[in-house]
Amino acid sequence: MQHLRLQPRLHDPDPAQDDRLPVRPIVLSGRFSRELAPVRRQALIEATLASLAARGLGAVSVRDVAVRAGVSPGLVRHHFGSFGALLVEAYRHVVQRVDDHIDSAMAGAGEDPDRRLAAFIAASFSPTIVDRDLLSAWLGFWGLVRTDPEAARLHAETYGAYRGRIETLLAAAARARGRAIDVRAGALGLSAMLDGLWLELCLDPATFTPAEATRLAADWTARFLQGGDAV
């Protein structure tokens, strides 16, 4: 799982003034026209993430993305149909990266329900996830959800899957304790806590540490599990 940092925190030059942008996640050569379509698509997705991190949704543009990817703007429409579709695909890509990172952390926890739940919570505050560039891109996606029906559909789908994963983890931990809990309520509560703590950590890491955030979420989860009815 690669680090999710989308772009170094450097001054973002105007592409019209400087062709040497801070980072091009995939460097393309003169042989670009002969490269496979998946490579071209990936280059455009990575360039979109870098542009979102540097400029935000309001300033990201086809031209900026094309410059970062080292291609002509026309390739955006060629590979994605529209710039909006490229933004949605970039959203999907980031969600998958986050999921892969959390999956990897949980895989190392084995089959014990408590260890898997603890790994999920800790991974949510790892340096890979608590990243300001990731936050910048995510805020852009949240803005897109309000205006783009396809982005809204993708958000509903991915958030539903995320909440479902938490429900599964909580249900397994409750069974191990012989408790009956409202897994839907628990998943809503825990996801809201994780999101809120993650957001504040990205905005101002001086407020509290990732270790404190992990402990807060773990303590809340333990109390919730203990509050269920015995079975």
Side-chain angles (χ1 to χ4, degrees):
M1 168 65 195
Q2 60 181 302
H3 196 285
L4 295 184
R5 186 173 302 285
L6 303 176
Q7 175 147 329
R9 297 179 183 90
L10 302 175
H11 172 65
D12 183 42
D14 184 343
Q17 303 298 322
D18 187 355
D19 288 334
R20 295 173 295 116
L21 291 171
V23 160
R24 289 179 183 175
I26 296 180
V27 178
L28 302 172
S29 68
R31 301 191 303 275
F32 184 79
S33 62
R34 299 192 297 275
E35 292 178 359
L36 297 175
V39 176
R40 300 174 183 174
R41 287 174 59 88
Q42 185 64 24
L44 288 165
I45 288 171
E46 296 290 351
T48 300
L49 297 177
S51 185
L52 278 168
R55 294 170 171 251
L57 182 63
V60 69
S61 66
V62 172
R63 181 176 180 277
D64 184 60
V65 169
V67 169
R68 290 173 189 274
V71 304
S72 66
L75 280 181
V76 171
R77 182 173 295 277
H78 174 74
H79 286 291
F80 295 94
S82 68
F83 188 49
L86 171 56
L87 290 172
V88 170
E89 192 59 32
Y91 184 13
R92 188 190 311 276
H93 186 73
V94 167
V95 170
Q96 188 60 56
R97 280 172 143 176
V98 171
D99 285 349
D100 288 347
H101 173 72
I102 293 177
D103 283 344
S104 178
M106 290 173 58
E111 297 301 319
D112 180 76
D114 284 351
R115 290 184 61 190
R116 287 177 60 80
L117 184 55
F120 176 86
I121 292 173
S124 299
F125 302 115
S126 66
T128 299
I129 305 298
V130 180
D131 181 88
R132 288 188 174 185
D133 290 339
L134 178 61
L135 172 64
S136 296
W138 212 273
L139 291 175
F141 295 140
W142 284 341
L144 188 65
V145 165
R146 298 184 60 189
T147 59
D148 187 294
E150 181 60 21
R153 185 200 63 76
L154 178 61
H155 171 72
E157 172 189 313
T158 56
Y159 178 63
Y162 174 70
R163 195 174 62 245
R165 170 184 286 192
I166 296 177
E167 289 180 0
T168 298
L169 289 169
L170 290 175
R175 282 196 301 272
R177 288 167 170 75
R179 315 293 293 186
I181 62 170
D182 184 343
V183 292
R184 181 178 181 275
L188 288 170
L190 182 55
S191 65
M193 173 171 272
L194 294 176
D195 286 350
L197 291 170
W198 170 78
L199 180 60
E200 185 57 35
L201 269 175
C202 289
L203 291 172
D204 184 6
T207 305
F208 50 85
T209 67
E212 288 176 305
T214 299
R215 186 167 59 251
L216 283 169
D219 288 348
W220 182 92
T221 303
R223 288 194 298 271
F224 179 82
L225 289 168
Q226 191 60 36
D229 298 326
V231 294

